[in-house]
Every structure is written in C-alpha cells, then in structure tokens.
Amino acid sequence: MLNDMIMKKIYILVLAVVLASSAFITGCKKDTTIAIDEPIDYLSVKKGKWNGLDSLTDSLFKNYGVRVFYEFNPRIIDPTTFYVPAQYDKAKLYTKYVIEKLWLEPLKKNFPKFLSDQKPIEFLILGTYVHFNSISSGLAAGAGLNGQFYRLGMGGADGLAFTKASLRDHMCTLYHEHAHQLDQKFGRSYAYDRVSQGSYYQLNYLTKPNGQRRTDNDAQIDGFFTPYGGFAPEEDFATSVESMIRYTRAEIQTIVAKNPKLATKYQIVYKFYLDKGIDLHQMHDILDQVTSTLPF
Amino acid sequence: MKTIYNISFLAVFMCLMASCKKETLLDGSKSIERSNALEKELKTQLNDSKDGWILFVTPLNANVKSAMPFILKFDTLESKVNMTSIYGKDVSSFFNISAATGMPLLTFSTGTALSAIYEIGSTDVTDYFFKVLKVTSDTITMQPYRKGSSSASEGGAILKMVRNTQPTWIKEWQTENTKLFDQASFFGRYLTAEMTFASGEAFTPLSVAFIKFSAADATYLGANYPTAINNKQAGAMTFTYFPTPATRIDPLSFTGYNSIFFDIYAAASTNALYGTGPATMQRLLKTNYFMIRKINATSINVFAIDKNGKEIVTGKIFY
C-alpha cells in the first residue's frame, strides 16, 4: 500500500515533468518570423551563355511582347504533344524574317490595336510538324499549334525554303493558324455556321463525287475558298483568312462572286477582323510590299 | 495506476517525437542539392573529354544487332555540341542542362541527328531531352525523358554514353575520303552483297543495287525526311534488293558520312519504301547502317558495330 503510494507519487512526478517538458518543447519560440519555404522548382530552366538567337528573341519580347521559343523543355511541351526543335540556323532565319519582319513589325506599324489585343504571347518554332499522342503519328499531323489562346506554334521551319515566294506563302499559313485562335477566342458566330450548313464535304474534301481531284475553283463554286475550307466550318473560317492574305481585294471579289454563300461568309470574316483592328486586304498588300524588301 | 503509466508512456513518446528533427525528411532541397552535384559532375566530365563522348543508339527492330554511334563533343562554355554520326560529320548544334524530376536534364536544344532519329521513331532515342542518372569518368548513364507516346509511362531506355578513347573502329570509319554518292559506277547496276557475321551465322549473298531518285523526289526527301532535312551529307537512293531476278523491293536508303543507312520510318511503317522495305534489309543484314571502310574500284568494304563497339557485321558490296 505504501509502495503503491510512493509509486503513484513517482509516476505523478514523472508525468508532471514530462508534461512540463512537452509543453516547454512544443511551446518554444521556434522562429522570430514564420518561415515560408520557397517552392522548389524541380523543372528549373537553366540557361547558359546566350547565343545570337537568344538575344534576338529577347529583343522581340521587349519590342512586341511575344516570347519566341526555339528550344523546348518539359515545361513547354505538354505530355500529349510531340515535336522537334528546328535547326539553329533555320530558327534564327525564321525568327528574324517570318516573325519579326513579316508578322510583328507590319502589325505594330499598321494595326497596333490588333497586335496588342490579339497577339499570342508565346510563339513556338518547330523543326518539322506537330504530332499528337505519339511522335510516330502521321508524317505531318498539324501545321501549327493553334488551340491555345496564348500560344501559337508553327511547324516546318527546317523544311522552309528562305525565298521571297516561300516566305510569302508561309505567311498565309501563319494567318490561317492564328485565325483558328481568334475563332476559338471569339467564335465565328452562329450566323456564319448557318451559311454553308449541310454542304460541307467533310473528309472527302480532296475528291469530287466523280473521283476527280477537287480544285480551288470547284470549291469556290461550292462556296468555299479552297477544298480544305469545305472540310468543316472551322477550316472554312481559317481558309477565308488565309485567302484574304493570299489574294488581292480584286481577286477576292472575283472569287466570292462565284457563290453568294461565299460572298456572305467573306463579309462576315472580313468584318470580324475589321472589328478587331485589322484590314486583311490592306495586310495582303503590306505583306507583298515587305516581302519584296527581304534580302533573299 | 495503469492508466497513469500509459499516459506517462504516451507523453514521453510524444516528447520524443516532438523533439525529432523533421526537416531532413521533408526538406526537398536535398533533392536539388543531389541534382546540382550530379549536374556539376556532368559538366566537368562533358568538358574533360578531349575527344568527346560516344552515345550508342540501338534500333528497336529485334533483327538488328548493331548500334549507331554518335560522337559528341561538348563545349560547356558556349553550350554547343559537335556531333559526328553516320548521318553527318561535325554538325554543330546547341545543348543545355536543366533539371527534371530530381536529376539533371541534358537537352539537345536545337535540331540534330538525334532529334531527327527521334522523329524517325525506330530507335531507343524516344526524346531529345535526357535525364542524367549517373556520371562517372568513363560512362554517363542517361534516359530519354519520355517514351515517345502519350500513353506510355515516363522515361525511356537506359542509354550509355562512353568516353571516347579513340577505339580503332573510328579510324576504320573515318579514313575514306571518297564519297560513295559521287561514284556513278556503283549506281544503277547489279551489285552483290556479301556479309560475315561475328555471331557465325551464315549469309547467302544478295543481289542488290543502289538507285538514285529523280531530282524532284530527292528534293522532296531532302525537305521532308527527318534525317535528310537540310542534311547536305545525305544522298537519297534506294538500296534495292532482288530476291529473284524478276522481283525487287526498293527500300529508302541514304548515303551519309562514310555510311549507308536504311531506317524504318515508324510513321510510315507499312509503306514499302519507308517501312517494310528497310525492315526486310535490316532482317537480312542484321543492321540498319553500314560504315564505309574503303571504296575500291569495283567494291565497297563496309562494317557495322554493336553497342560495345565490337564489329559484328563485315561486308563487301561489289560488281
């Protein structure tokens, strides 16, 4: 009984010491301020010495607010998209002449509102073309990356011939891809989709029912600028923009006169762009002029 | 009594746990430190090898026993890499070293033969950025970041890059100065290919021919075929094979730097020119390339090595 009492006292003493020390330890003032750990960047992008293209892309970012990427890392490439970087020399020529001279500079000079409101803040230069789901899916699965509001990517820089004609033609594709972006951003409208509803060729756009290859003229008579434009409304919209960059205003008037539906859609698209601050017919002429000054 | 005992035990236990230093367990910066140390070692070793490093790349086709060597010389100051392979000699491009999933990431950041064969899709190079796993003075072990398709798990085959100690096969390969593509006498005629395999397997001589493309087709391939795009050292041809005098298959092939290569283009693997044709040649020859040892008046001596640098196919193509 006595032993029990002593034991109990000892235990109470131990318990008191333990609780006190516990309170002391946990109650310690650990830090004068609450430390907030910096997030650890497991995919930090490290960059060695800058090369000429790094300086060029940096100056473009400062002048136009568009960051050009020519080299990639897991931060930039999402896991379901596969593409390869362009060769350095090609990427440099592409940045200088396609992105700066033919795209950003004329826009800033002539249609600054369109550039500031509608530019993609990131531009990717791809060596070959975009593959989706697997690097081995198709020889050329996509000309560009266009489904993202803030980023535009163009494929085929490695295979691009740096001649006046080839670069002028490439600008039509660039405006085509950018048109997809604007389409996604604003919507080409309910009215637009109703104009040729039911008459799209879908996957048979390249071949006529009689098995012959479908020409641009065939498609124009059917109410589309090109056979691919007859694939689906989204390509109809994008090829309209592409065509307005490719042909003069007079040529476009002749084309749209072939089918009243085409004329209606042309008016919608032309106004769509006009509302955003750019006259595509003027842009066509400007691009012709700027291309003529390129040093190739 | 027992309750008090239990409480006191728990309290002591709590004290012990509370006094543990947890940072070492939770501190992610350790991983960064580890990665940074490996990165430093990687840069040191890349820079230290005067003759560079040799990356051996193995094709996925199980019939192929050879591996393609890529001799890489890294300039860590300028972030430039000089690459010599069967696809081209002394081709300059850029690289950078970043970080990924707790280890350094070696990226061939502008277009190279490596990004081209990645796009061809028939080797264990399934990405052009590589996680660096281990660095020693004679071997750098690395792994492609992805496996080449979105449904596959992260990380491809383990690849070894070994220090270039100037093995004899490099000299054997780099001595010939004559360009095969310019030797008209070997093109457009029947040739015989004889092979000896280090494995001792028998080989029945093949009736073959090198046939050049039309200018338009050659231009098309030069603008579209990944290992040939802008590659002035690649010459497009078919490495035609005649199973019988009346039948032929025409696999796409190229002459490269002292080499002939015939890869399977995975995106067109069922096409005779790009896929099934080269696959047939790879099955017969047990390699997807030849390095040219010597071009004689009427014969070409060729060979291929495996991933250990051992010559495993020795051949003669002649008329």
Side-chain angles (χ1 to χ4, degrees):
Chain A
M1 189 65 189
L2 190 64
N3 278 347
D4 265 9
M5 287 293 286
I6 293 167
M7 283 299 286
K8 207 170 182 176
K9 270 188 181 165
I10 291 169
Y11 271 112
I12 287 170
L13 196 64
V14 168
L15 183 60
V17 169
V18 162
L19 286 176
S21 56
S22 168
F24 180 75
I25 289 165
T26 52
C28 275
K29 198 179 179 189
K30 300 271 189 320
D31 278 308
T32 45
T33 54
I34 296 167
I36 299 168
D37 288 337
E38 284 293 313
I40 294 167
D41 188 352
Y42 290 99
L43 290 176
S44 66
V45 177
K46 297 175 186 173
K47 184 75 190 161
K49 191 178 165 186
W50 276 17
N51 58 44
L53 186 48
D54 293 322
S55 307
L56 182 58
T57 57
D58 188 59
S59 74
L60 287 189
F61 179 66
K62 284 171 181 152
N63 282 340
Y64 303 100
V66 177
R67 194 174 285 289
V68 175
F69 291 90
Y70 70 94
E71 55 178 27
F72 309 114
N73 55 53
R75 252 176 214 268
I76 298 175
I77 300 188
D78 70 85
T80 59
T81 314
F82 298 83
Y83 45 83
V84 297
Q87 294 171 30
Y88 178 79
D89 295 345
K90 290 282 179 167
K92 202 169 171 187
L93 284 170
Y94 192 96
T95 308
K96 181 82 192 158
Y97 294 107
V98 175
I99 301 180
E100 185 176 20
K101 292 289 169 207
L102 286 169
W103 186 46
L104 295 176
E105 205 174 82
L107 279 177
K108 190 172 185 178
K109 220 178 268 180
N110 301 286
F111 305 109
K113 180 176 160 42
F114 181 79
L115 177 68
S116 77
D117 294 351
Q118 312 306 346
K119 66 172 184 271
I121 55 167
E122 292 183 357
F123 191 102
L124 272 53
I125 304 171
L126 317 184
T128 54
Y129 292 94
V130 186
H131 302 275
F132 297 103
N133 300 316
S134 159
I135 185 68
S136 307
S137 64
L139 293 175
L145 288 165
N146 52 43
Q148 302 167 76
F149 298 146
Y150 65 94
R151 175 189 277 179
L152 185 64
M154 289 301 291
D158 273 347
L160 194 60
F162 282 81
T163 60
K164 287 189 172 76
S166 162
L167 293 194
R168 182 64 183 81
D169 183 71
H170 186 77
M171 290 313 293
C172 303
T173 315
L174 198 155
Y175 272 88
H176 173 120
E177 299 302 335
H178 188 229
H180 283 306
Q181 223 169 29
L182 294 189
D183 184 6
Q184 297 220 359
K185 212 158 141 184
F186 299 100
R188 57 190 172 267
S189 84
Y190 178 88
Y192 184 91
D193 282 2
R194 293 300 167 280
V195 180
S196 288
Q197 189 179 20
S199 61
Y200 286 99
Y201 310 133
Q202 299 176 15
L203 284 172
N204 297 320
Y205 62 90
L206 282 176
T207 317
K208 290 197 282 190
N210 64 8
Q212 285 178 344
R213 197 173 173 80
R214 183 174 273 122
T215 63
D216 280 3
N217 187 53
D218 294 331
Q220 287 158 6
I221 290 166
D222 290 345
F224 311 106
F225 277 98
T226 67
Y228 188 44
F231 167 58
E234 60 269 28
E235 294 302 344
D236 196 4
F237 180 86
T239 52
S240 304
V241 176
E242 179 188 330
S243 298
M244 279 185 257
I245 292 296
R246 192 181 302 282
Y247 303 113
T248 62
R249 179 192 286 265
E251 285 166 335
I252 291 286
Q253 300 299 347
T254 314
I255 292 169
V256 300
K258 292 176 189 175
N259 186 313
K261 286 182 181 173
L262 188 56
T264 308
K265 286 186 293 183
Y266 153 71
Q267 289 296 345
I268 295 175
V269 179
Y270 180 64
K271 187 164 184 312
F272 177 103
Y273 270 72
L274 216 50
D275 289 348
K276 316 249 169 326
I278 181 171
D279 183 326
L280 288 173
H281 292 313
Q282 272 183 38
M283 197 65 216
H284 164 275
D285 298 347
I286 292 164
L287 282 172
D288 275 1
Q289 189 273 323
V290 176
T291 306
S292 71
T293 66
L294 295 179
F296 313 114
Chain B
M1 184 60 216
K2 206 171 178 182
T3 315
I4 294 171
Y5 179 80
N6 285 342
I7 290 171
S8 58
F9 177 78
L10 280 174
V12 170
F13 184 73
M14 195 185 90
C15 274
L16 279 170
M17 288 296 105
S19 60
C20 275
K21 199 178 175 192
K22 295 188 189 59
E23 280 118 82
T24 46
L25 297 173
L26 299 174
D27 186 1
S29 66
K30 290 285 171 205
S31 134
I32 300 289
E33 270 173 37
R34 203 171 47 238
S35 176
N36 285 347
L38 196 56
E39 179 183 323
K40 201 175 160 205
E41 183 60 16
L42 174 68
K43 282 182 177 162
T44 306
Q45 294 300 343
L46 288 181
N47 196 51
D48 270 5
S49 182
K50 179 171 67 70
D51 296 312
W53 294 81
I54 306 171
L55 174 68
F56 287 101
V57 173
T58 313
L60 299 174
N61 182 358
N63 293 317
V64 173
K65 305 299 175 201
S66 61
M68 295 179 282
F70 289 78
I71 302 172
L72 308 166
K73 290 180 192 165
F74 295 90
D75 175 347
T76 49
L77 190 66
E78 298 288 334
S79 299
K80 271 185 158 178
V81 55
N82 173 295
M83 193 177 289
T84 294
S85 68
I86 56 169
Y87 301 104
K89 183 175 196 274
D90 286 332
V91 185
S92 178
S93 64
F94 286 86
F95 74 96
N96 70 43
I97 298 169
S98 275
T101 54
M103 53 194 92
L105 189 75
L106 174 64
T107 302
F108 293 88
S109 56
T110 56
T112 61
L114 283 174
S115 55
I117 63 164
Y118 160 62
E119 187 151 26
I120 294 275
S122 59
T123 67
D124 54 15
V125 169
T126 54
D127 216 334
Y128 50 89
F129 16 81
F130 298 87
K131 296 195 279 185
V132 176
L133 308 178
K134 195 178 169 195
V135 178
T136 66
S137 60
D138 58 5
T139 309
I140 293 168
T141 309
M142 56 192 203
Q143 182 185 33
Y145 187 77
R146 298 189 287 179
K147 283 200 178 96
S149 80
S150 58
S151 54
S153 58
E154 185 190 291
I158 305 290
L159 303 175
K160 300 244 188 239
M161 198 155 68
V162 298
R163 182 179 281 260
N164 182 3
T165 52
Q166 296 285 29
T168 50
W169 60 262
I170 293 188
K171 204 170 167 222
E172 297 270 296
W173 168 38
Q174 302 196 343
T175 306
E176 184 57 78
N177 289 320
T178 306
K179 286 198 175 84
L180 174 61
F181 203 69
D182 299 339
Q183 305 306 304
S185 63
F186 286 104
F187 287 84
R189 71 185 306 157
Y190 285 106
L191 301 166
T192 303
E194 284 180 356
M195 300 291 137
T196 310
F197 298 126
S199 62
E201 284 171 85
F203 182 82
T204 312
L206 304 180
S207 180
V208 297
F210 299 139
I211 298 167
K212 289 190 183 178
F213 286 96
S214 68
D217 286 348
T219 305
Y220 173 81
L221 289 165
N224 292 284
Y225 193 80
T227 44
I229 295 176
N230 293 323
N231 182 355
K232 291 187 177 62
Q233 300 181 52
M237 62 180 192
T238 62
F239 191 174
T240 297
Y241 161 54
F242 300 92
T244 69
T247 55
R248 60 188 277 180
I249 59 161
D250 296 287
L252 178 61
S253 178
F254 293 86
T255 58
Y257 166 58
N258 275 358
S259 70
I260 300 165
F261 57 89
F262 34 100
D263 294 316
I264 298 169
Y265 195 176
S269 60
T270 55
N271 179 287
L273 180 69
Y274 297 105
T276 58
T280 304
M281 292 310 262
Q282 292 184 7
R283 179 172 53 78
L284 293 168
L285 301 168
K286 298 190 191 302
T287 180
N288 61 323
Y289 74 92
F290 287 123
M291 292 194 275
I292 295 173
R293 180 177 276 135
K294 185 94 185 82
I295 298 178
N296 309 299
T298 61
S299 66
I300 310 157
N301 296 344
V302 296
F303 70 107
I305 57 170
D306 70 1
K307 62 181 176 187
N308 299 313
K310 182 174 170 257
E311 183 167 329
I312 54 151
V313 184
T314 309
K316 191 166 110 171
I317 300 169
F318 61 95
Y319 63 88

Coordinates of all heavy atoms in Angstrom, one line a residue, chain A residues 25 64 68-69 108 127 168 192 251:
Chain A
I25 N 8.9 22.2 -24.7 CA 9.4 22.0 -26.1 C 8.5 22.5 -27.2 O 8.9 23.2 -28.1 CB 9.7 20.5 -26.3 CG1 10.9 20.0 -25.5 CG2 10.0 20.2 -27.8 CD1 11.0 18.5 -25.3
Y64 N 7.7 43.6 -78.7 CA 6.4 43.3 -79.2 C 5.5 42.5 -78.1 O 4.4 42.2 -78.3 CB 6.4 42.4 -80.4 CG 7.1 43.1 -81.6 CD1 8.5 42.8 -81.8 CD2 6.5 44.0 -82.3 CE1 9.1 43.4 -82.9 CE2 7.2 44.7 -83.4 CZ 8.5 44.4 -83.6 OH 9.1 45.0 -84.7
V68 N 9.4 34.2 -78.1 CA 9.6 33.2 -79.1 C 10.4 32.0 -78.5 O 11.4 32.3 -77.9 CB 10.4 33.8 -80.3 CG1 10.7 32.6 -81.3 CG2 9.6 34.8 -81.0
F69 N 9.9 30.8 -78.7 CA 10.7 29.7 -78.2 C 11.2 28.9 -79.4 O 10.4 28.5 -80.3 CB 9.7 28.7 -77.4 CG 9.3 29.3 -76.0 CD1 8.1 30.1 -76.0 CD2 10.1 29.1 -74.9 CE1 7.7 30.7 -74.8 CE2 9.7 29.7 -73.7 CZ 8.5 30.5 -73.6
K108 N 2.6 46.0 -85.9 CA 2.8 47.1 -85.0 C 2.7 48.4 -85.7 O 2.1 49.4 -85.2 CB 4.2 46.9 -84.3 CG 4.3 47.9 -83.1 CD 5.6 47.6 -82.4 CE 5.7 48.5 -81.2 NZ 6.9 48.2 -80.4
G127 N 10.7 22.4 -85.7 CA 11.6 22.0 -86.8 C 10.7 21.3 -87.9 O 10.7 21.7 -89.1
R168 N 6.4 34.3 -98.3 CA 5.1 35.0 -98.5 C 4.0 34.0 -98.4 O 2.9 34.2 -97.8 CB 5.1 35.6 -99.9 CG 3.8 36.4 -100.2 CD 3.6 37.6 -99.3 NE 2.4 38.3 -99.6 CZ 1.2 37.9 -99.1 NH1 1.1 36.8 -98.4 NH2 0.1 38.5 -99.4
Y192 N -22.5 32.6 -89.1 CA -21.5 32.0 -90.1 C -21.7 30.5 -90.3 O -21.7 30.1 -91.5 CB -20.1 32.3 -89.5 CG -19.0 31.9 -90.4 CD1 -18.5 32.8 -91.3 CD2 -18.5 30.6 -90.4 CE1 -17.5 32.4 -92.2 CE2 -17.5 30.2 -91.3 CZ -17.0 31.1 -92.2 OH -16.0 30.7 -93.0
E251 N -9.0 40.2 -106.5 CA -9.1 38.8 -106.8 C -10.1 38.1 -105.9 O -10.9 37.2 -106.3 CB -7.7 38.1 -106.5 CG -6.7 38.4 -107.7 CD -5.3 38.1 -107.3 OE1 -4.9 38.1 -106.1 OE2 -4.5 37.8 -108.2

